[in-house]
Amino acid sequence: MHLAEATWTDVSGDGNADDRADIDVALLPVGSTEQHGPHAPLGTDTLAAETVTARGAAAYDGEVVVAPAIPVGVSEEHRHFAGTLWVSPDTFRAYVRETVESLAAHGWDRVVVVNGHGGNVDALREVCARLTRDGTAYTVPFTWFEAVESSLEMGHAGPMETSLLFATQPELVREGRLEDAAADGAARWGEWEAGVNLAYDSAAFAGNGVVGDPREADEQQGEALLDDAGERLAELVAVVIAREWESGA
Ligand SMILES: [Zn+2]
């Protein structure tokens, strides 16, 4: 059940609160609006989070609530590229926390946050721990590209993300720009010395914002990634529901 498409009466079961008990878990997609090179849209991470969430909800053997996606995340590292939006980790954590609190207020106190952006990972881990420890909701973050088994490089706007787009929204990939994307991109994320990444912003090491070679991307690999991510998410949902946790409610 997608909250944005349901009515409140659908959700409440015509006022019978017991119906809500049929739904065990809520999925909350979170993404970003940030540069993804010259060939992929600014909304790539949000689109990926929404698509993986939908695939996981379909693969799961049971009903889940799907919340609308949070579209702006912790992306200041891409601030030099036009169109990138960002919020501070404090604001992001607060927004995720209060959104999960409102899900929990309706009884959905098992929550998987489905993440599409690497820059959100640290803040999500912290806020999900807080919600769990406080007894608000048992909440875990799932970052799709960390969950999948793939030989493709994640990079940034690289083979993995571009493949996913080819499988889900191919019209959003500017194929005529893939050569340029590869030519001006970086081979790896960051500038490293003694185990330290010297660069705080992607513009310092990736002229056009790309890391990895998106010419290695194709639809077939994207489908495989999506299948894998959806299966892994469905498995996680089952474990999250079964896990012992002490509600503070
Ligand atoms: Zn991305």
Side-chain angles (χ1 to χ4, degrees):
M1 179 172 67
H2 199 300
L3 285 185
E5 295 165 4
T7 69
W8 78 264
T9 52
D10 295 337
V11 173
S12 71
D14 284 318
N16 179 359
D18 288 347
D19 287 7
R20 287 202 303 256
D22 292 345
I23 300 179
D24 300 310
V25 66
L27 307 181
L28 172 62
V30 302
S32 70
T33 301
E34 66 180 41
Q35 70 84 11
H36 275 76
H39 65 291
L42 292 154
T44 292
D45 293 346
T46 307
L47 295 170
E50 288 175 322
T51 312
V52 168
T53 298
R55 190 63 71 102
Y60 175 66
D61 183 23
E63 186 78 28
V64 301
V65 164
V66 175
I70 295 174
V72 178
V74 183
S75 300
E76 192 174 0
E77 71 270 26
H78 298 297
R79 65 199 167 97
H80 297 94
F81 295 92
T84 295
L85 307 180
W86 63 91
V87 293
S88 69
D90 280 348
T91 299
F92 180 72
R93 281 191 302 262
Y95 201 97
V96 170
R97 177 172 51 74
E98 293 179 22
T99 303
V100 172
E101 283 170 354
S102 58
L103 289 166
H106 297 297
W108 304 308
D109 63 359
R110 306 268 166 165
V111 179
V112 178
V113 181
V114 181
N115 177 40
H117 171 49
N120 293 342
V121 167
D122 290 352
L124 283 177
R125 187 80 200 160
E126 291 160 10
V127 69
C128 290
R130 186 76 274 144
L131 285 157
T132 299
R133 288 171 177 146
D134 288 350
T136 306
Y138 180 55
T139 311
V140 297
F142 168 90
T143 296
W144 74 267
F145 49 83
E146 290 180 346
V148 295
E149 301 255 355
S150 176
S151 57
L152 289 178
E153 189 188 351
M154 179 52 190
H156 186 76
M160 224 189 232
E161 287 184 297
T162 308
S163 289
L164 202 74
L165 282 170
F166 272 132
T168 57
Q169 277 136 316
E171 70 281 4
L172 296 181
V173 181
R174 280 65 165 178
E175 289 194 62
R177 299 182 195 159
L178 286 173
E179 288 297 329
D180 284 349
D184 299 331
R188 67 183 296 208
W189 182 274
E191 291 175 280
W192 296 86
E193 183 66 43
V196 174
N197 182 2
L198 302 170
Y200 289 106
D201 293 327
S202 60
F205 52 87
N208 62 3
V210 176
V211 178
D213 188 342
R215 292 173 303 181
E216 295 168 14
D218 63 43
E219 180 189 347
Q220 200 179 0
Q221 297 178 99
E223 273 300 335
L225 288 168
L226 196 51
D227 277 347
D228 193 9
E231 285 295 327
R232 300 307 299 272
L233 177 54
E235 290 163 11
L236 177 66
V237 165
V239 170
V240 162
I241 289 169
R243 190 173 172 86
E244 275 190 41
W245 163 76
E246 204 163 319
S247 165

